[in-house]
């Protein structure tokens, strides 16, 4: 498995995996397949283009097929610049059970530690998504709150657990 930062030329394969995520697990994301399937290639390029404060990691299998991804985005406000958010975590169903998600997050944490001043990584996860929560907790993320009815899909509400990982604190990895 190869993990690397996605670049502009990865836009098409990123969009294919992103749409697969939205189709396979619509309850897990704030966006929808219908909305994002209308995005232009330029919109996708702009979304994944790495900057000093944002990057998307991709995991590639032995055939160099993109099978996993996760996004890092640092806060921009002077009072919240010490925090970053993790978005869009997804591993294709056929690639699950191979520690790809864990590898992606370990690489993201490693890279976040090199971002001067980033002290905290935040993410949200659907409260019912036990495998994802178990993964996050195994890496040192802690639940600090629950947003009730955070998402609504097909008439059903989903709560989300708010989780944080504190960089350079003794109670995390």
């Amino acid at each position: 498995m190869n993990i690397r930062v996605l670049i502009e030329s990865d836009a098409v394969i990123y969009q294919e995996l992103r749409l697969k995520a939205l189709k396979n697990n619509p309850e897990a994301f704030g966006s929808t397949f219908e909305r994002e399937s209308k995005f232009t290639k330029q919109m996708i390029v702009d979304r994944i283009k790495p900057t000093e404060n944002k990057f998307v990691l991709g995991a590639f299998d032995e055939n160099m097929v993109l099978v996993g991804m996760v996004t890092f985005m640092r806060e921009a406000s002077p009072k919240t610049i010490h925090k970053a958010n993790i978005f869009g975590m997804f591993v294709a169903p056929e690639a699950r059970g191979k520690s790809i998600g864990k590898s992606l997050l370990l690489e993201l944490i490693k890279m976040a530690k090199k971002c001067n001043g980033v002290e905290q990584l935040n993410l949200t996860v659907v409260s019912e998504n036990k495998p994802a929560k178990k993964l996050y907790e195994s890496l040192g993320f802690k639940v600090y709150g629950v947003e009730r009815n955070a998402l609504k899909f097909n008439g059903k509400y989903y709560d989300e657990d708010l989780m944080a990982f504190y960089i350079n604190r003794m109670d995390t990895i």
Side-chain angles (χ1 to χ4, degrees):
M1 178 185 38
N2 178 34
I3 294 177
R4 67 170 173 81
V5 173
L6 299 183
I7 57 174
E8 296 91 321
S9 60
D10 294 314
V12 171
I13 60 171
Y14 166 86
Q15 179 67 344
E16 288 171 358
L17 188 60
R18 175 70 178 168
L19 291 175
K20 184 176 190 172
L22 294 170
K23 201 169 215 175
N24 287 0
N25 298 101
E27 75 290 345
F29 299 96
S31 191
T32 66
F33 176 87
E34 294 73 24
R35 176 178 173 262
E36 293 198 21
S37 64
K38 296 175 185 156
F39 285 5
T40 65
K41 184 176 180 187
Q42 189 57 51
M43 291 168 76
I44 304 305
V45 166
D46 293 342
R47 175 183 263 190
I48 70 168
K49 183 179 180 181
T51 68
E52 182 180 344
N53 296 314
K54 175 194 82 175
F55 58 83
V56 179
L57 287 177
F60 295 82
D61 69 10
E62 62 278 354
N63 298 315
M64 294 311 293
V65 174
L66 182 65
V67 295
M69 62 188 173
V70 64
T71 299
F72 168 94
M73 189 174 300
R74 188 175 190 168
E75 295 277 343
S77 168
K79 291 184 178 181
T80 59
I81 200 163
H82 65 287
K83 297 187 289 185
N85 296 292
I86 297 174
F87 297 109
M89 176 72 179
F90 180 73
V91 175
E94 65 275 11
R96 292 178 185 166
K98 301 176 183 175
S99 297
I100 293 170
K102 184 174 186 174
S103 296
L104 278 166
L105 287 169
L106 285 171
E107 182 64 21
L108 184 143
I109 291 167
K110 185 171 112 181
M111 291 177 69
K113 287 179 176 181
K114 294 177 183 174
C115 292
N116 188 29
V118 173
E119 301 170 12
Q120 180 176 330
L121 300 173
N122 293 332
L123 61 81
T124 62
V125 59
V126 171
S127 299
E128 298 173 7
N129 189 343
K130 301 215 183 305
K133 284 176 57 177
K134 183 178 176 184
L135 169 63
Y136 300 140
E137 289 169 347
S138 77
L139 294 173
F141 285 84
K142 308 260 189 252
V143 174
Y144 67 89
V146 176
E147 182 180 354
R148 303 282 176 223
N149 299 332
L151 300 174
K152 184 178 179 181
F153 180 70
N154 285 342
K156 181 180 178 189
Y157 290 99
Y158 295 87
D159 297 344
E160 284 188 330
D161 288 358
L162 312 173
M163 301 184 81
F165 176 92
Y166 300 96
I167 295 174
N168 297 326
R169 283 213 346 214
M170 298 308 287
D171 60 345
T172 60
I173 62 171

